[in-house]
């Protein structure tokens, strides 16, 4: 319905549509709209659901019983296409062949910006909540449209073409959003790198993607502090032979040195037209890649495609958060993470929402910042992290209760399990007992939320601390890690897998498809393996037991201060790189440890070379600064234990299960250590346990 009504409005003489291609596109969309009526008529439940909010279970069952009709109908009603797709699904999970909306043609930026710009140009697309409170700026759909197009034309006029990779290393500003959308407009693949990563981390991400273009800014402002970005990029690109141009935006106006490759972004944009013809993209062309940690030191460029990702983002944004037209929606994640991609940008903008772009930190200028913002902007949905909630609850209720939070309806969390104390506080204090708490489980690889309690108006009551219910199209399976067989029934623990494909899932690791297959589809034949453990309770609700449930997958852990997904291997590698004559230590082993505020901290075990003369405090400081340099300061271990040996199997593999227990101070739960090459290291490790700082 939506697609068709919109097409008609756009074709009316009062519209601002001047580009012939847009007219052709909307004519095609109208044709697709006619087809959509047939499909929807066959499945009245889907359209009814979106009008009347049918119970979650009914719609969910429909999505599993008839995924083609379900997703096909939604794709036709919710997205605008240049060319309708021939088939909905062509997937074979055993081969990681994942194709949706076959031969469909569309442009993501048109879906996220143009159609709202045409209909409601003055509607606020982005509220830029700047670092300093009270200085927010509104960006209308019209302004976003113009900014995006000028940026797209800038890229085009400097030779960026469809399929090229563009690295975005930017502060949380509307220009960063416009840069992502500009890539989508011209068919370039963006790779956003969080602006807290170090030069070395940026170098490896740029080189892996072979990006020729970097978009950055002079500085980033966070919590009242200005941090240089441009000089970090300068250092990073020294080792990136692929880079040929760097666009530099102004965030603070601080002086920066401009080299031969550098161009000031705003003045380049000013030369460009505010119209840019969108590139016609295939459903399965890449939209973006985003680096995340994996089981080896090399981060993985998780790649998402156009149509399936966008549709899944839009549908989950609407349904999980009970988003309604006119709401002010705030996800406080950074755009450097998948949460920022899907739930700050693509999902909300595809739905024509007003989305908040939060530049600051939860404690600036004081621990009331989030709730003061909620009052000032009249926020309806707030989506944050358990870490931030745990941090804020320590400051006491008055930082919350002094602000009016009556606008809030839904409070979300993501990234890690939320403990009961934090859940209760979020629910009772922040939400005043009136809001639904949605604990959402998903991953960079899943593209959007997969498991979450739906708001209570369409689902059963919500229980604390459980992600609970699968979203549309998601068929979770709890699989026995030893036999690889799915556990049926309730009250079972195992490896969390997903047994049917869904439109939002990643299609590959950019440039390393075999690694993608090996990591996610080989461990359990026929299933997508999430790497997480889960418990399906006696009532059938799913509880995530965390990433470190299995030995093979202990390599992913979380330093949750700012919700970073880090690999132990990445941290270990960064501490290992100490070659030359000055070698002082040997391979380190890292483990995640429960941390009272951060959720999970990093505990590192390090062995020293025999002839090391240095003071251990000095070594610890040096190790921390190595991690800061190579990854970023957020990754520095909370504890470093210097030890004469690590628990290794006879084949030389570190037994991480043991490191984890020792790090968590649970040396009495080690179980069988007889397979260790040298079991005597265990009592030594236990005796020298380092306290959390
Ligand atoms: C963890 C973030 C428990 C999980 C969107 C997953 C969670 C990883 C939850 C993905 C949750 C995410 N409860 N654990 N609600 N949400 N996780 O790729 O281990 O940064 O695999 O994506 O975070 O982290 P990523």
């Amino acid at each position: 319905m939506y697609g068709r009504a919109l097409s008609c409005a756009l074709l009316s003489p009062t519209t601002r549509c001047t580009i012939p291609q847009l007219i052709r596109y909307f004519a095609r969309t109208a044709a697709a709209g006619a087809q959509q009526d047939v499909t929807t008529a066959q499945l009245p439940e889907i359209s009814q659901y979106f009008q009347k909010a049918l119970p979650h279970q009914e719609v969910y069952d429909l999505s599993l019983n008839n995924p083609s009709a379900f997703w096909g109908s939604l794709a036709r009603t919710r997205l605008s296409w240049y060319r309708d797709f021939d088939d909905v699904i062509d997937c074979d999970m055993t081969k990681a062949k994942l194709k949706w909306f076959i031969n469909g043609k569309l442009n993501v930026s048109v879906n996220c910006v143009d159609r709202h710009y045409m209909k409601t140009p003055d509607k606020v697309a982005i509220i830029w909540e700047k670092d300093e409170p009270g200085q927010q700026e509104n960006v209308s759909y019209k302004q976003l449209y113009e900014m995006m197009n000028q940026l797209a034309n800038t890229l085009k006029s400097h030779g960026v073409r469809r399929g090229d990779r563009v690295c975005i290393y930017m502060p949380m500003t509307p220009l960063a959003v416009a840069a992502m959308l500009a890539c989508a407009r011209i068919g370039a693949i963006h790779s956003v790198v969080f602006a807290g990563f170090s030069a070395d981390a940026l170098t490896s991400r740029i080189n892996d993607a072979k990006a020729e273009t970097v978009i950055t800014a002079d500085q980033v402002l966070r919590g009242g502090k200005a941090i240089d970005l441009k000089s970090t990029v300068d250092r990073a690109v020294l080792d990136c032979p692929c880079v040929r141009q760097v666009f530099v935006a102004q965030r603070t106006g601080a002086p920066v040195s401009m080299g031969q490759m550098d161009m000031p972004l705003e003045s380049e944009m000013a030369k460009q037209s505010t119209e840019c013809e969108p590139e016609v993209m295939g459903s399965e062309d890449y939209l973006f890649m985003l680096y995340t940690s994996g089981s080896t030191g090399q981060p993985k460029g998780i790649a998402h495609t156009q149509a399936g990702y966008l549709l899944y983002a839009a549908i989950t944004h609407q349904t999980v958060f009970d988003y309604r037209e006119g709401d002010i929606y705030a996800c406080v994640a950074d755009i450097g993470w998948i949460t920022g991609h899907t739930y700050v940008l693509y999902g909300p903008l595809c739905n024509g929402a007003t989305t908040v772009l939060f530049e600051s930190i939860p404690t600036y200028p004081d621990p009331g910042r989030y709730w003061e913002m909620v009052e000032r902007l009249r926020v309806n949905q707030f989506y944050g992290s358990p870490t931030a909630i745990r941090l804020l609850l320590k400051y006491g209720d008055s930082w919350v209760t002094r602000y009016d939070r009556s606008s809030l309806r839904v409070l979300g969390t993501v990234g890690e399990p939320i403990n009961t104390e934090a859940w209760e506080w979020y629910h009772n204090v922040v939400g005043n007992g009136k809001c639904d708490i949605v604990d959402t489980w998903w991953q960079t690889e899943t593209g959007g939320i997969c498991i979450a309690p739906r708001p209570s108006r369409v689902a059963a009551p919500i229980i604390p601390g459980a992600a609970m219910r699968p979203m549309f199209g998601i068929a979770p399976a709890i699989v026995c890690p030893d036999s690889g067989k799915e556990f049926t029934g309730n009250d079972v623990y195992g490896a969390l897998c997903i047994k049917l494909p869904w439109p939002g899932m990643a299609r590959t690791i950019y440039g390393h498809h075999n690694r993608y297959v090996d990591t996610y589809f080989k461990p359990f034949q026929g299933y997508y393996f999430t790497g997480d453990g889960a418990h399906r309770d006696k009532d059938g609700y799913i509880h995530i037991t965390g990433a470190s449930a299995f030995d093979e997958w202990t390599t992913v852990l979380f330093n949750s201060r700012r919700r970073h997904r880090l690999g132990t291997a990445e941290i270990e590698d960064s501490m290992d790189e100490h070659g030359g004559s000055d070698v002082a230590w040997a391979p380190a082993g890292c483990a995640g440890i429960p941390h009272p505020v951060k959720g999970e901290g990093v505990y590192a075990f390090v062995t020293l070379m025999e002839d090391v003369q240095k003071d251990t405090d000095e070594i610890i400081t040096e190790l921390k600064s190595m991690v800061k340099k190579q990854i970023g300061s957020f990754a520095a271990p909370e504890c470093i234990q210097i030890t004469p040996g690590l628990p290794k199997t006879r084949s030389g593999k570190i037994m991480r299960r043991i490191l984890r227990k020792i790090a968590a101070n649970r040396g009495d739960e080690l179980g069988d250590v007889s397979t260790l090459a040298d079991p005597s290291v265990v009592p030594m490790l236990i005796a020298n346990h380092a306290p959390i700082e």
Side-chain angles (χ1 to χ4, degrees):
M1 283 294 123
Y2 179 55
R4 179 176 229 181
L6 180 56
S7 313
C8 296
L10 288 161
L11 286 169
S12 79
T14 55
T15 64
R16 292 150 191 270
C17 180
T18 52
I19 310 171
Q21 197 194 0
L22 270 179
I23 306 247
R24 286 200 301 279
Y25 138 64
F26 289 123
R28 285 196 199 98
T29 312
Q35 234 171 337
Q36 147 235 319
D37 284 346
V38 178
T39 323
T40 320
Q42 289 162 345
L43 287 166
E45 298 91 328
I46 296 176
S47 55
Q48 254 183 39
Y49 164 72
F50 284 101
Q51 283 155 21
K52 292 191 196 148
L54 283 185
H56 178 74
Q57 191 64 37
E58 277 180 42
V59 189
Y60 174 69
D61 291 345
L62 193 68
S63 74
L64 289 198
N65 296 339
N66 197 344
S68 284
F70 182 86
W71 291 113
S73 168
L74 284 176
R76 290 194 173 103
T77 48
R78 303 299 299 273
L79 302 183
S80 296
W81 298 82
Y82 292 107
R83 182 192 185 280
D84 190 21
F85 42 90
D86 301 327
D87 274 315
V88 177
I89 310 176
D90 181 14
C91 295
D92 177 352
M93 293 245 279
T94 59
K95 302 195 178 84
K97 176 184 163 203
L98 308 161
K99 291 184 193 301
W100 287 79
F101 310 116
I102 317 304
N103 297 328
K105 303 271 186 228
L106 78 172
N107 183 287
V108 166
S109 77
V110 168
N111 277 278
C112 289
V113 185
D114 300 31
R115 29 183 212 168
H116 315 303
Y117 155 65
M118 308 291 269
K119 203 173 155 203
T120 50
D122 298 327
K123 179 169 180 179
V124 177
I126 298 171
I127 302 177
W128 181 23
E129 172 69 7
K130 291 190 194 173
D131 194 39
E132 287 304 323
Q135 295 190 358
Q136 75 272 12
E137 277 177 26
N138 290 344
V139 180
S140 68
Y141 273 98
K142 177 171 190 282
Q143 288 168 317
L144 183 60
Y145 175 84
E146 292 177 349
M147 203 190 315
M148 163 184 82
N149 283 341
Q150 285 186 308
L151 222 158
N153 286 328
T154 305
L155 294 176
K156 256 167 93 171
S157 69
H158 286 92
V160 180
R161 299 281 172 263
R162 183 186 177 118
D164 290 352
R165 276 79 55 213
V166 173
C167 173
I168 299 176
Y169 184 71
M170 299 268 283
M172 287 285 284
T173 59
L175 261 186
V177 174
M180 293 164 78
L181 291 165
C183 289
R185 189 140 196 106
I186 63 171
I189 303 168
H190 61 71
S191 164
V192 180
V193 177
F194 170 61
F197 273 114
S198 67
D200 291 1
L202 183 59
T203 301
S204 65
R205 284 155 176 78
I206 292 174
N207 284 335
D208 183 71
K210 299 191 183 58
E212 294 181 357
T213 304
V214 178
I215 309 179
T216 189
D218 46 9
Q219 291 188 313
V220 53
L221 267 183
R222 225 180 261 138
K225 293 197 197 89
I227 305 151
D228 287 342
L229 284 187
K230 171 65 168 58
S231 57
T232 307
V233 172
D234 289 346
R235 274 180 280 126
V237 300
L238 283 179
D239 293 322
C240 299
C242 50
V243 173
R244 61 179 178 84
Q245 54 191 357
V246 177
F247 293 98
V248 186
Q250 290 196 2
R251 173 59 189 98
T252 59
V256 291
S257 70
M258 296 293 275
Q260 280 193 334
M261 283 199 294
D262 303 332
M263 276 168 286
L265 181 63
E266 288 89 344
S267 51
E268 286 300 313
M269 283 169 65
K271 300 177 195 160
Q272 302 291 338
S273 154
T274 54
E275 297 289 345
C276 173
E277 190 151 313
E279 191 76 18
V280 177
M281 303 301 289
S283 300
E284 283 299 328
D285 287 333
Y286 293 127
L287 173 63
F288 68 85
M289 54 200 284
L290 184 60
Y291 283 90
T292 188
S293 296
S295 52
T296 70
Q298 179 66 26
K300 303 177 282 195
I302 298 293
H304 283 281
T305 54
Q306 316 266 329
Y309 168 81
L310 185 65
L311 180 66
Y312 197 71
I315 296 297
T316 49
H317 167 254
Q318 182 195 353
T319 52
V320 172
F321 299 103
D322 186 26
Y323 168 74
R324 302 177 206 164
E325 175 64 34
D327 281 348
I328 307 287
Y329 161 88
C331 166
V332 290
D334 194 283
I335 47 155
W337 310 112
I338 190 69
T339 311
H341 281 57
T342 309
Y343 297 111
V344 175
L345 198 162
Y346 288 113
L349 294 184
C350 187
N351 289 332
T354 297
T355 183
V356 173
L357 187 67
F358 183 71
E359 189 184 36
S360 195
I361 57 170
T363 47
Y364 183 74
D366 59 50
R369 175 58 185 269
Y370 281 162
W371 325 120
E372 182 273 326
M373 174 183 85
V374 164
E375 174 181 290
R376 177 163 38 82
L377 305 182
R378 305 295 300 157
V379 170
N380 302 107
Q381 291 93 353
F382 179 89
Y383 190 27
S385 72
T387 316
I389 302 303
R390 274 194 299 271
L391 174 73
L392 295 178
L393 81 78
K394 293 196 184 316
Y395 289 96
D397 298 358
S398 71
W399 286 107
V400 183
T401 51
R402 70 184 65 173
Y403 299 109
D404 175 8
R405 286 117 42 237
S406 58
S407 56
L408 287 171
R409 284 205 319 274
V410 179
L411 297 169
T413 63
V414 60
E416 50 187 312
I418 177 160
N419 55 311
T420 311
E421 186 192 8
W423 194 98
E424 298 286 354
W425 187 78
Y426 206 25
H427 184 247
N428 296 330
V429 180
V430 177
N432 220 0
K434 293 189 183 125
C435 298
D436 283 328
I437 308 292
V438 291
D439 170 4
T440 64
W441 176 89
W442 60 295
Q443 310 176 292
T444 306
E445 297 85 342
T446 69
I449 294 167
C450 290
I451 305 182
R454 294 286 311 288
S456 54
R457 82 189 171 105
V458 291
I462 294 171
I463 56 171
M468 297 183 73
R469 282 180 273 270
M471 287 304 298
F472 310 127
I474 302 296
I478 313 271
V479 176
C480 170
D482 300 322
S483 71
K485 294 223 165 67
E486 184 181 345
F487 288 119
T488 50
N490 288 342
D491 203 13
V492 288
Y493 288 85
L496 178 63
C497 294
I498 302 179
K499 57 186 167 186
L500 291 177
W502 67 102
M505 70 195 297
R507 302 301 194 258
T508 195
I509 295 173
Y510 191 83
H512 307 276
H513 192 66
N514 288 344
R515 192 175 168 204
Y516 183 61
V517 178
D518 291 348
T519 311
Y520 302 101
F521 299 93
K522 282 267 169 72
F524 302 105
Q525 192 64 18
Y527 296 91
Y528 166 82
F529 174 45
T530 66
D532 285 337
H535 171 215
R536 186 160 56 225
D537 71 16
K538 59 181 179 22
D539 301 313
Y541 293 134
I542 293 180
H543 303 245
I544 310 299
T545 52
S548 350
F550 303 100
D551 239 23
E552 319 79 78
W553 203 264
T554 51
T555 44
V556 176
L557 56 82
F558 297 87
N559 177 319
S560 329
R561 223 166 331 197
R562 289 184 57 85
R563 267 295 308 121
H564 304 287
R565 176 165 156 186
L566 295 167
T568 46
E570 224 176 329
I571 303 173
E572 287 165 16
D573 277 5
S574 70
M575 296 202 286
D576 242 14
E577 284 187 18
H578 201 256
S581 55
D582 196 21
V583 170
W585 47 79
C590 286
I593 40 162
H595 189 282
V597 175
K598 297 170 199 160
E600 195 158 19
V602 180
Y603 191 113
F605 297 85
V606 176
T607 53
L608 299 186
M609 295 304 187
E610 276 172 12
D611 53 352
V612 172
Q613 305 296 328
K614 275 188 189 167
D615 176 60
T616 50
D617 285 348
E618 209 181 309
I619 292 174
I620 289 175
T621 313
E622 202 174 319
L623 280 166
K624 287 189 178 173
S625 66
M626 284 169 74
V627 182
K628 285 181 190 167
K629 175 173 175 299
Q630 288 186 47
I631 307 177
S633 41
F634 59 86
E638 275 69 31
C639 307
I640 296 182
Q641 176 175 356
I642 307 281
T643 160
L646 290 170
K648 290 191 182 164
T649 60
R650 290 189 182 89
S651 60
K653 207 176 148 218
I654 297 174
M655 271 180 97
R656 297 174 178 281
R657 174 174 66 82
I658 294 182
L659 289 187
R660 261 202 328 276
K661 289 277 184 207
I662 292 172
N665 219 352
R666 284 156 59 190
D668 51 336
E669 297 172 13
L670 292 182
D672 182 15
V673 295
S674 61
T675 55
L676 287 178
D678 176 12
S680 72
V681 297
V682 169
M684 241 162 6
L685 285 168
I686 295 176
N688 293 318
H689 184 268
I692 300 184
E693 280 170 25

